Amino acid sequence: MVDVTRCRSLALLVVAVVAMSACSVSSDDSATKVSNDHVPFGLLDKNSGASAVATTGVDTQIFFVKNGRVAPVTRRMDPEARPRAVLRELVRGLTKDEVDAGLRSALPEPNAVNRISVTAGTASVDLAGAFASLTSTEQLLALAQLVFTLTAQPGIGQVRFTLRGEATEVPLANGSLVSTPVSRDDYAAVAPV
């Protein structure tokens, strides 16, 4: 006669072994990259307490110069990137592909900006001394690069400039000089086509 209890125990053991083998760790000799689509929900969430394995980034526009106008390029940046990080990316300069596409920067790299802060929708940018040595055309384009890049960031509509910590006048596209905050409208003549 067959012992029913023993058969049930054996059946449960077989089911447990099969289930455990289905959840086992791969026997690969090296790590395998997994796309974000296959990572369990919430694991990549910075606020979940789990350490972030990867970030997807967001498309962020920064502006360089092409044919006498500012021209946007898209860079993938951390979604938490603040204006300071975006400005660092602008000052860092162009990639080889962007240079090959005919883009350039009017900013005197890499020390074009001393510091930046944002208050009530206005970015305050302190320009370095190297900025003063630019020709008037290059100053205009460099300012337009900064204005278009910063106002592409959420919550920034205007930019105020100082030079080495002192109030300064900046040229506008219409040839006038102002010491008040400026916006994209002030550089419409060199805006992207």
Side-chain angles (χ1 to χ4, degrees), residues 41-77:
F41 178 77
L43 187 59
L44 296 178
D45 183 0
K46 291 181 181 181
N47 298 322
S48 71
S51 56
V53 175
T55 58
T56 56
V58 294
D59 289 339
T60 302
Q61 279 193 332
I62 59 175
F63 289 78
F64 290 106
V65 176
K66 185 173 184 177
N67 300 326
R69 294 181 165 278
V70 292
V73 298
T74 301
R75 298 272 174 91
R76 209 74 179 142
M77 296 189 71

Side-chain angles (χ1 to χ4, degrees), residues 134-158:
L134 294 174
T135 67
S136 59
T137 300
E138 289 300 290
Q139 277 186 10
L140 180 72
L141 290 170
L143 291 167
Q145 279 184 253
L146 291 165
V147 169
F148 275 80
T149 297
L150 289 170
T151 57
Q153 304 311 301
I156 300 178
Q158 294 185 311

Side-chain angles (χ1 to χ4, degrees), residues 16-188:
V17 168
V18 170
M20 286 175 46
S21 67
C23 296
S24 68
V25 175
S26 170
S27 61
D28 292 345
D29 291 333
S30 61
T32 304
K33 185 175 181 173
V34 177
S35 73
N36 288 353
D37 298 337
H38 292 94
V39 176
F41 178 77
L43 187 59
L44 296 178
D45 183 0
K46 291 181 181 181
N47 298 322
S48 71
S51 56
V53 175
T55 58
T56 56
V58 294
D59 289 339
T60 302
Q61 279 193 332
I62 59 175
F63 289 78
F64 290 106
V65 176
K66 185 173 184 177
N67 300 326
R69 294 181 165 278
V70 292
V73 298
T74 301
R75 298 272 174 91
R76 209 74 179 142
M77 296 189 71
D78 182 325
E80 299 298 316
R82 300 288 182 240
R84 198 170 283 122
V86 173
L87 208 51
R88 265 194 306 272
E89 188 68 19
L90 173 65
V91 172
R92 183 175 296 132
L94 299 135
T95 66
K96 182 186 180 316
D97 289 341
E98 291 163 352
V99 171
D100 291 345
L103 294 164
R104 69 178 187 86
S105 180
L107 294 168
E109 301 175 89
N111 302 314
V113 176
N114 290 327
R115 65 189 158 273
I116 178 176
S117 62
V118 179
T119 306
T122 299
S124 296
V125 176
D126 186 44
L127 301 168
F131 190 83
S133 65
L134 294 174
T135 67
S136 59
T137 300
E138 289 300 290
Q139 277 186 10
L140 180 72
L141 290 170
L143 291 167
Q145 279 184 253
L146 291 165
V147 169
F148 275 80
T149 297
L150 289 170
T151 57
Q153 304 311 301
I156 300 178
Q158 294 185 311
V159 183
R160 176 187 309 276
F161 292 99
T162 56
L163 180 64
R164 292 178 291 214
E166 300 292 324
T168 189
E169 292 182 324
V170 294
L172 302 181
N174 67 10
S176 64
L177 295 171
V178 297
S179 58
T180 57
V182 294
S183 69
R184 286 183 174 204
D185 291 342
D186 295 309
Y187 296 94

